[in-house]
Amino acid sequence: MATVDKMPMLAEGYEKLSSELKRLRAERPLIVDAIEEARAHGDLSENAEYHAAKERQGQIEASISDIEDKLSRAQIIDPTTLSGDKIVFGATVTLLDEDDKPVKYQIVGQTEADANAGRISYNSPLGRALIGRRVDDEVEVTVPSGDRYYLVSKIEFV
């Protein structure tokens, strides 16, 4: 499942993943202590604390492995060093929807995406539709709620 494909992300996203990895690694010894304590309670077959601690340990190890993989493939992109007239990863785009209401999105990596904060993944339907577009291009996107139409009104690299 692991691939060698680079994973583009902003420096902010890289730092967030790094701090999450540090937090999970710090939790490891606490889980080991919890397992040891639960083991001391006796019969493991009916010991809910033991099973919960073992399950948490598995979740932490899987998360650590996943984050380490993402960090090892990270390609950090600083949008302020970019320029041009096309939408690329890291660009902040102002779109006009069907009602000419402006909406603003920054194209970011999968781990950084948060539509409510105006950050969409380059892999999302809208992100894929926007990449390579220019100002005044019309964009049609099929999303779960139906087809949406946008007009690219501004591209910034901030």
Side-chain angles (χ1 to χ4, degrees), residues 130-155:
L130 289 174
I131 297 289
R133 301 297 181 118
R134 292 183 159 88
V135 171
D136 292 331
D137 281 358
E138 291 184 8
V139 180
E140 178 184 351
V141 184
T142 302
V143 293
S145 60
D147 289 346
R148 303 289 307 234
Y149 299 91
Y150 296 100
L151 176 70
V152 179
S153 70
K154 188 174 175 184
I155 302 171

Side-chain angles (χ1 to χ4, degrees), residues 9-12 76-84 88-92 106-107 119 156-158:
M9 64 178 65
L10 303 176
E12 177 185 322
I76 300 171
I77 296 175
D78 180 1
T80 60
T81 64
L82 304 174
S83 62
V88 295
F89 181 93
T92 300
Q106 183 176 25
I107 311 295
R119 305 180 101 184
E156 301 171 279
F157 298 97
V158 291

Side-chain angles (χ1 to χ4, degrees), residues 107-128:
I107 311 295
V108 297
Q110 296 167 324
T111 59
E112 304 162 291
D114 179 1
N116 295 331
R119 305 180 101 184
I120 58 170
S121 169
Y122 68 96
N123 273 342
S124 68
L126 181 56
R128 285 196 309 267

Side-chain angles (χ1 to χ4, degrees), residues 7-25 63-64 66-74 109-112:
M7 180 176 244
M9 64 178 65
L10 303 176
E12 177 185 322
Y14 186 88
E15 290 305 316
K16 192 174 179 182
L17 278 179
S18 295
S19 65
E20 176 67 5
L21 180 61
K22 188 182 275 186
R23 186 190 67 75
L24 289 171
R25 284 182 173 158
S63 293
I64 287 173
D66 183 51
I67 292 172
E68 284 174 340
D69 175 58
K70 287 175 181 170
L71 291 176
S72 71
R73 296 184 298 125
Q110 296 167 324
T111 59
E112 304 162 291

